[in-house]
Amino acid sequence: MSEPSSENPITKIRNICILAHVDHGKTTLADHLIAACGGGVIHPKMAGRLRYMDFLDEEQRRAITMKSSSVKLNYNDHLIHLIDSPGHIDFCSEVSTAARLSDGALVLVDSVEGVHIQTHAVLRQAWIEKLTPCLVLNKIDRLITELKLTPMEAYNKLARIIHEVNSIVSAFKSEKYLSDVDSLISKCDDQEGTEIEVAQEDDEVTFQPQKGNVVFSCALDGWGFGIEKFAEFYAKKWGANSAALVKGFWGPRYYNKKKKMIVGKKAMETVSNNPEPMFVEFILKPLWQAYHAILERNKDMIEKVVKFGGLSVSDKELQNKDPKALLQSVMSQWLPLSDSVLSMVVKCLPDPCMAQPFRITRLVPPREFVPSNADPAILSEAERVRKCIEICDSSNTAPGVAFISKMFTVPVKALPPDPTGLLVSDFSDSDDCFLAFARVFCGTIRSGQRMFVLSALYDPLKSDPTMQRHVQEVELHQLYQMMGQALIQVPHARAGMLVAIKGLAQHVLKSATLSTTKDCFPFSSMAFQVAPTLRVAIEPSDPADMGALIKGLRLLNRSDPFVEINVSSRGEHVLAAAGEVHLERCIKDLRERFARVSLEVSPPLVSFKETIEGEGVNLVEKTTPNGRCMVKVQVVKLPGQLTKVLEENAELLGEILEGKSGNNDNTLKRDDESLVVLRKKILSAIEAEIEHISGQLGDKEKVEKHRKTWLKYLPRIWSLGPRQVGPNMLIVPETSYADSKAVLIQGSCHVSERLGFLNSDSETISKMPPLEEVEAALIREAETLKSSVVSGFQLATSAGPLCDEPMWGLAFIVEPYIFPDNSENAHPSDQYGIFTGQVMTSVKEACRAAVLQNNPRLVEAMYFCELNTPTEYLGPMYSVIHRRRARVLKEEMQEGSPLFTVHAYLPAEASYGFADELRGKTSGAASAILVLSHWEEIMYDPFFVPKTEEEKEEHGDGSSLSPNLARLLMNKVRRRKGLPVEEKVVQHATKQRTLARKV
């Protein structure tokens, strides 16, 4: 592999990605960098128009990036791997795969549009993956040509954008800082006299032009600059100190020409009434003059500009009738974009040896829990491998470790000739080959080498035979250096390099860890900003093509890191995507590349949830068919904040409740950081609900009673559902006996114990007293029925009574009693089926009936929608969003721009086709970005019947009342699932009439 010539080549490597909101200029910037340093792949005159990194037909047609791709650049004896990533929210998974393989990020922001919703998302992704960011303020030319701002107005706008981006990063730092403080305080609660030393928050602003990590650019015209460029120029001209000029060229710094000094604003008040900062006077003004001179064809000023920059412009270019061509020629010579950006990359972004020690806690988190039966030799070797990853060890003795962030396909004909003669296609009838997009983190990997593929669930310290399912031995067929759409075959790859690997298609589904040793901790899973929420059912037009469809879905699932494929309970093949654009691309790939059959696609399968309104008061009783078990259920609505905490921490709850259960020493420590933070969030959510209630009621006694009730529930959590980690609770009841011959199936408070709410200070559940009338066998039978109660709860919460959608934010207090089997006085119990199944069914039906009797409500998903539109299209835009039940949050006009920005909440059920309708009604002038925000309860009662005098006066007796929104949505879902729907078949039945003949 081509490596920079240096004693330690790793220090000359940079792995970076480009992150930005859609249409802020990522791919255009990449074109200019490739044209300058890509080895002649792009001619400089084609840069910005070719869109080299968008090599898919769909990307070129839509003019947006859909797949992240890598290219190698050589700049000043440095090797730079550049990954271009999508900006559209539907393809945020590609941003995650790009960020995992990078050490630094170029964050682009449009100088006119400013910070947008996806800018927040990519900054958070960079923060999560511990990337070092640099800022590029792109499209500076629009401030001159479109907005026609003065240099001072442009400076103020640029300063505001930098301040806003810094505020976002500061919020991330503050969030982590406060979390660390809470963790330290919690750890020291039980230690008297312990001093808490908290590191002070770094107050240094992240992005500062004087630090060299901010570049101002116009990627379309191929020019850009950092303030060091002008500092060096003026230092030579004035004989001044370049470092002093760098500090003076940003912020409230002014140049006193009389004293030839850099001074503050107060010192300039006596000299000038309207002083201009040095950035305006010595940088922006010359730029504005150059633009105006060239666009207005002012020959004298053009000559001055050429002389000022020391440029060599040919007469042919000066005589060009197209001022845009002359502008590009002059500006790209004066302020070459590639030099400005890549010099910042080399100076401000770390090499792998510097980055991996900082990122190691994210890449391979340290082990907090070690099984007592773990082999010390394996543990020592695994820690040695982790240390090699941390220091980016590239020596011959270091183990080879790489991480695969995604699998991607390329046409077989695009691969270089294979000298080994191996089949390049993964399937005999396919024209595509799967390659792994990977980075080597330590050691060296080679073609033909045998390595181990480790999934994220693999644990080398566990001797469980099931662990063998998560490790496979494979052979690497070929390694390729990626050059966008081109591939260059290489024999080996050292630490810090990005490569494409052939030969892993049958072994890696989406992502995995590659290692030369089994004794290696796998890399942590990647974090995705959104979840695939848009689901459709797919079937072939010809049933005979079902085999081809199943194969195509399997290939699509491997090639896309974000798509989800599953089979519904009705046997439908369901495809889940992030949004409409993502879904359209997946369907196109299925039809044209993977399945190659005609497909039928259903309307979107919108997800809902079910809950109740108010506090549950009705108690429901159910008895098993054999009469031996009676179940009493009361349902209570969880506090809204608590429901949100349980949803957001589902993965962590899964690790706490299930992931650590295989260890012998599985008792979680109180000082575990994640557990402490989660426990604090749960308590804070309950306190927030109490404060909300106190503000509404004002009755201290009722508020205190509410607080005691919930604090009493926390030590009695038996299970969560659905799938053991959902936002619903199964609560163990306080022991009570309605009959001296009944035995209560007593829960175990398993979840409370794991979360640390069950301790010596908590109220313990009273155990069953010995009863003379009850035999010991009945007590043992009650113990065996615990799992049936939990299973019934899981079934109920996974399919509610309204339309078989999951329940949301509910707590069920279940009291199941069993009685002796008096076979002489009753029917034989086995004629009704197995007793455990009867108990399970009774618990499920009792929970569903409790929901139905306590004001059931539907809950729908809501998108946060950011819309941008010119003033003249505000009316059509509002008509579109109001027709789709959107709720406008705020609207504001972008300063210095004719665009309005509108924020709104849009129901997911009404979002399908929203973007197309918006573009159609506004002639393509308006754009929208949708991000899944939250779940919101629909306030309408689906079973509304007029009861009060006011309701009867308004709606009558209800016989002619049309179904409300909740009823319509419920019936729609029930009809799709094949459930019975109660609705009138004939709405308006009238006697047939004979129309009068018109003469």
Side-chain angles (χ1 to χ4, degrees):
M1 179 173 289
S2 175
E3 295 175 351
S5 57
S6 174
E7 295 181 0
N8 185 7
I10 297 182
T11 60
K12 298 286 187 177
I13 296 174
R14 299 291 186 274
N15 295 316
I16 65 171
C17 58
I18 306 179
L19 308 176
H21 187 77
V22 65
D23 288 335
H24 278 203
K26 298 180 300 300
T27 304
T28 305
L29 172 63
D31 268 11
H32 283 279
L33 300 183
I34 297 170
C37 306
V41 176
I42 301 178
H43 192 279
K45 291 186 178 180
M46 293 297 296
R49 291 180 289 173
L50 185 61
R51 300 180 61 86
Y52 177 77
M53 302 295 278
D54 291 347
F55 51 85
L56 298 179
D57 293 339
E58 192 72 4
E59 292 179 319
Q60 290 287 345
R61 185 177 70 85
R62 291 181 179 268
I64 62 171
T65 304
M66 296 182 178
K67 291 282 189 180
S68 57
S69 52
S70 173
V71 67
K72 181 187 71 171
L73 306 175
N74 291 300
Y75 174 76
N76 287 355
D77 202 30
H78 283 76
L79 178 61
I80 299 173
H81 290 114
L82 176 70
I83 305 177
D84 184 24
S85 65
H88 199 285
I89 189 66
D90 283 9
F91 306 102
C92 64
S93 61
E94 297 288 338
V95 177
S96 301
T97 61
R100 172 53 62 92
L101 303 187
S102 304
D103 296 322
L106 294 176
V107 180
L108 267 69
V109 178
D110 190 318
S111 299
V112 173
E113 297 182 5
V115 174
H116 275 278
I117 186 170
Q118 191 63 5
T119 312
H120 287 260
V122 298
L123 284 170
R124 175 170 283 278
Q125 190 68 43
W127 171 260
I128 291 173
E129 292 294 342
K130 292 183 175 292
L131 305 186
T132 303
C134 286
L135 182 63
V136 179
L137 294 181
N138 196 24
K139 304 187 181 182
I140 299 291
D141 60 310
R142 295 182 64 190
L143 302 178
I144 308 173
T145 58
E146 292 184 22
L147 302 187
K148 302 187 184 303
L149 301 182
T150 65
M152 191 64 196
E153 292 171 340
Y155 166 72
N156 290 329
K157 186 172 183 61
L158 296 174
R160 279 194 298 270
I161 293 175
I162 294 176
H163 175 73
E164 189 172 356
V165 176
N166 280 322
S167 298
I168 297 171
V169 178
S170 297
F172 299 152
K173 291 182 179 180
S174 300
E175 183 180 341
K176 181 180 184 303
Y177 173 75
L178 293 174
S179 175
D180 292 343
V181 171
D182 290 340
S183 176
L184 286 171
I185 293 175
S186 299
K187 288 180 181 180
C188 300
D189 278 343
D190 300 329
Q191 300 178 15
E192 296 182 1
T194 303
E195 295 183 1
I196 303 175
E197 295 183 2
V198 181
Q200 294 297 321
E201 182 184 3
D202 183 10
D203 292 329
E204 186 179 359
V205 178
T206 303
F207 299 109
Q208 299 182 44
Q210 60 268 35
K211 288 172 59 177
N213 62 356
V214 178
V215 162
F216 307 88
S217 72
C218 170
L220 187 63
D221 293 338
W223 62 267
F225 65 91
I227 59 175
E228 297 92 342
K229 174 82 174 180
F230 283 90
E232 293 174 1
F233 173 79
Y234 285 109
K236 291 181 180 179
K237 184 177 180 180
W238 298 340
N241 186 350
S242 176
L245 291 177
V246 167
K247 293 180 180 179
F249 273 153
W250 186 257
R253 299 289 184 271
Y254 303 84
Y255 184 66
N256 190 326
K257 296 181 180 179
K258 294 181 179 180
K259 299 181 180 180
K260 295 185 178 181
M261 294 177 58
I262 299 175
V263 297
K265 189 171 183 178
K266 289 185 178 180
M268 288 294 293
E269 290 178 353
T270 58
V271 179
S272 173
N273 293 329
N274 296 310
E276 293 179 334
M278 293 180 64
F279 184 79
V280 174
E281 185 175 0
F282 298 108
I283 297 180
L284 293 188
K285 274 192 172 182
L287 282 177
W288 261 240
Q289 292 170 1
Y291 256 78
H292 291 312
I294 296 172
L295 295 177
E296 296 170 5
R297 310 294 295 184
N298 188 330
K299 293 184 179 180
D300 294 337
M301 282 299 299
I302 292 175
E303 291 179 359
K304 290 182 179 179
V305 170
V306 171
K307 184 178 180 181
F308 178 80
L311 311 178
S312 58
V313 182
S314 65
D315 293 336
K316 183 178 179 180
E317 291 174 327
L318 290 172
Q319 295 171 4
N320 195 320
K321 294 182 179 180
D322 183 8
K324 192 70 174 176
L326 177 59
L327 183 67
Q328 292 178 354
S329 176
V330 172
M331 297 301 296
S332 60
Q333 282 191 55
W334 180 23
L335 304 168
L337 177 62
S338 58
D339 283 346
S340 301
V341 173
L342 295 182
S343 63
M344 176 177 68
V345 167
V346 170
K347 175 185 174 183
C348 300
L349 298 184
D351 59 73
C353 289
M354 293 177 60
Q356 287 179 204
F358 175 66
R359 300 184 64 205
I360 187 63
T361 55
R362 169 61 188 164
L363 299 174
V364 187
R367 294 299 298 264
E368 297 289 344
F369 306 97
V370 178
S372 58
N373 60 347
D375 188 341
I378 296 178
L379 177 60
S380 176
E381 176 64 14
E383 290 294 342
R384 185 185 76 86
V385 174
R386 185 177 183 274
K387 185 65 178 178
C388 291
I389 297 173
E390 181 178 357
I391 64 175
C392 194
D393 190 351
S394 61
S395 63
N396 295 329
T397 58
V401 179
F403 180 74
I404 300 168
S405 66
K406 70 170 183 175
M407 301 293 291
F408 67 101
T409 57
V410 295
V412 171
K413 60 184 179 182
L415 291 175
D418 192 346
T420 63
L422 294 174
L423 288 176
V424 294
S425 178
D426 299 297
F427 299 92
S428 57
D429 58 346
S430 174
D431 293 334
D432 292 320
C433 176
F434 277 93
L435 300 179
F437 191 20
R439 169 178 168 178
V440 184
F441 281 89
C442 75
T444 304
I445 62 174
R446 296 177 171 82
S447 298
Q449 184 178 13
R450 299 198 67 81
M451 299 185 72
F452 295 98
V453 175
L454 313 178
S455 76
L457 299 177
Y458 178 70
D459 188 348
L461 303 181
K462 290 185 179 179
S463 56
D464 190 348
T466 58
M467 278 294 111
Q468 298 305 314
R469 295 181 302 176
H470 305 301
V471 58
Q472 305 174 66
E473 188 174 5
V474 299
E475 180 181 346
L476 310 184
H477 291 174
Q478 294 295 337
L479 303 180
Y480 301 101
Q481 175 72 61
M482 292 171 284
M483 289 295 294
Q485 55 190 320
L487 297 169
I488 303 172
Q489 188 169 328
V490 293
H492 64 274
R494 299 186 64 186
M497 308 298 289
L498 266 60
V499 289
I501 306 174
K502 192 185 80 174
L504 303 177
Q506 304 298 330
H507 306 282
V508 179
L509 180 59
K510 293 182 183 291
S511 63
T513 303
L514 274 179
S515 175
T516 54
T517 173
K518 281 186 177 182
D519 303 333
C520 173
F521 296 126
F523 279 58
S524 63
S525 300
M526 293 178 292
F528 297 118
Q529 296 288 332
V530 297
T533 54
L534 185 60
R535 301 181 300 130
V536 294
I538 299 179
E539 62 182 18
S541 301
D542 184 356
D545 294 329
M546 180 59 74
L549 173 62
I550 294 174
K551 175 184 172 182
L553 288 172
R554 188 171 65 250
L555 295 177
L556 175 65
N557 191 34
R558 181 177 290 115
S559 68
D560 194 307
F562 204 52
V563 74
E564 289 184 2
I565 309 291
N566 55 65
V567 180
S568 69
S569 58
R570 296 174 58 196
E572 297 173 316
H573 291 276
V574 178
L575 186 152
E580 288 184 58
V581 180
H582 187 206
L583 177 63
E584 289 176 14
R585 203 209 66 211
C586 291
I587 298 298
K588 182 180 176 66
D589 286 347
L590 270 178
R591 285 174 172 154
E592 299 179 1
R593 298 177 59 194
F594 298 132
R596 296 183 179 179
V597 296
S598 177
L599 299 175
E600 299 293 332
V601 182
S602 74
L605 310 178
V606 182
S607 297
F608 291 89
K609 295 184 185 293
E610 301 180 19
T611 187
I612 64 172
E613 173 68 19
E615 297 182 5
V617 292
N618 296 326
L619 187 68
V620 174
E621 292 187 7
K622 289 283 183 180
T623 305
T624 56
N626 63 3
R628 287 201 56 213
C629 179
M630 180 180 65
V631 180
K632 297 180 180 181
V633 175
Q634 182 182 0
V635 62
V636 180
K637 189 172 183 179
L638 291 178
Q641 291 295 326
L642 179 57
T643 303
K644 184 178 179 181
V645 169
L646 294 177
E647 275 193 317
E648 292 178 347
N649 296 275
E651 184 177 351
L652 176 58
L653 284 168
E655 294 176 1
I656 294 173
L657 302 181
E658 300 173 3
K660 307 293 193 302
S661 59
N663 298 341
N664 292 334
D665 52 345
N666 57 7
T667 303
L668 295 178
K669 300 179 181 180
R670 289 285 306 275
D671 60 353
D672 180 27
E673 179 181 349
S674 58
L675 181 58
V676 169
V677 173
L678 176 60
R679 193 159 54 235
K680 180 177 176 60
K681 286 181 179 179
I682 292 175
L683 293 173
S684 299
I686 293 177
E687 289 299 327
E689 181 73 10
I690 299 300
E691 291 181 7
H692 178 68
I693 293 175
S694 63
Q696 289 182 332
L697 299 178
D699 190 339
K700 292 185 178 180
E701 292 185 3
K702 290 184 178 180
V703 171
E704 189 62 28
K705 181 181 178 181
H706 199 79
R707 176 185 285 108
K708 288 182 178 180
T709 299
W710 277 108
L711 294 180
K712 188 169 60 175
Y713 284 158
L714 288 181
R716 293 161 45 192
I717 305 174
W718 188 353
S719 178
L720 300 177
R723 298 183 301 277
Q724 307 291 339
V725 293
N728 302 284
M729 292 183 179
L730 175 61
I731 305 295
V732 176
E734 294 180 338
T735 307
S736 60
Y737 299 92
D739 193 317
S740 60
K741 294 184 179 180
V743 172
L744 176 68
I745 302 175
Q746 187 71 59
S748 61
C749 305
H750 165 71
V751 176
S752 295
E753 182 180 1
R754 288 290 184 140
L755 294 178
F757 290 118
L758 191 63
N759 50 46
S760 57
D761 298 330
S762 303
E763 295 182 8
T764 56
I765 308 298
S766 57
K767 299 298 181 181
M768 184 175 55
L771 299 175
E772 297 179 359
E773 295 85 355
V774 181
E775 298 179 357
L778 190 60
I779 301 175
R780 289 195 298 270
E781 187 179 12
E783 290 292 322
T784 63
L785 293 174
K786 288 183 178 180
S787 60
S788 298
V789 176
V790 175
S791 298
F793 164 75
Q794 297 294 338
L795 290 173
T797 53
S798 62
L802 296 182
C803 49
D804 276 3
E805 292 291 302
M807 295 187 188
W808 184 76
L810 300 178
F812 294 90
I813 299 98
V814 179
E815 299 181 34
Y817 297 94
I818 62 170
F819 301 92
D821 185 7
N822 299 322
S823 302
E824 298 177 354
N825 303 326
H827 297 286
S829 59
D830 57 355
Q831 81 176 48
Y832 301 104
I834 301 174
F835 186 40
T836 55
Q838 295 182 48
V839 174
M840 187 188 308
T841 303
S842 297
V843 172
K844 181 188 75 171
E845 295 301 328
C847 292
R848 289 164 61 99
V851 172
L852 277 178
Q853 295 186 19
N854 288 278
N855 301 321
R857 294 289 187 272
L858 274 181
V859 184
E860 63 179 349
M862 301 293 289
Y863 283 114
F864 175 80
C865 179
E866 183 182 79
L867 302 107
N868 292 281
T869 181
T871 308
E872 58 268 25
Y873 289 105
L874 274 176
M877 184 204 68
Y878 274 116
S879 67
V880 172
I881 63 176
H882 286 317
R883 228 181 355 258
R884 293 175 176 265
R885 301 192 289 117
R887 186 170 76 252
V888 176
L889 302 176
K890 73 169 184 177
E891 60 176 12
E892 60 183 5
M893 189 172 187
Q894 297 180 12
E895 188 173 352
S897 167
L899 296 177
F900 263 86
T901 298
V902 178
H903 291 170
Y905 284 139
L906 179 70
E909 183 271 337
S911 65
Y912 193 70
F914 172 70
D916 290 338
E917 183 183 3
L918 183 67
R919 283 194 294 266
K921 295 293 184 181
T922 61
S923 303
S927 62
I929 294 292
L930 301 179
V931 180
L932 185 64
S933 174
H934 64 284
W935 291 87
E936 189 171 291
E937 181 180 325
I938 299 176
M939 299 310 298
Y940 299 104
D941 185 355
F943 305 108
F944 174 74
V945 175
K947 295 179 181 179
T948 65
E949 292 297 330
E950 292 80 2
E951 291 174 348
K952 290 180 180 179
E953 184 179 347
E954 181 179 355
H955 304 289
D957 60 356
S959 59
S960 61
L961 185 65
S962 59
N964 59 23
L965 173 64
R967 186 61 176 256
L968 290 173
L969 295 177
M970 183 185 76
N971 289 343
K972 183 178 179 181
V973 177
R974 292 183 69 89
R975 197 176 293 110
R976 172 171 59 82
K977 293 184 176 182
L979 301 174
V981 177
E982 295 182 6
E983 60 182 354
K984 295 180 181 179
V985 178
V986 179
Q987 296 290 343
H988 303 287
T990 58
K991 187 177 180 180
Q992 183 177 356
R993 302 173 184 175
T994 302
L995 299 179
R997 188 193 309 178
K998 295 182 179 180
V999 179

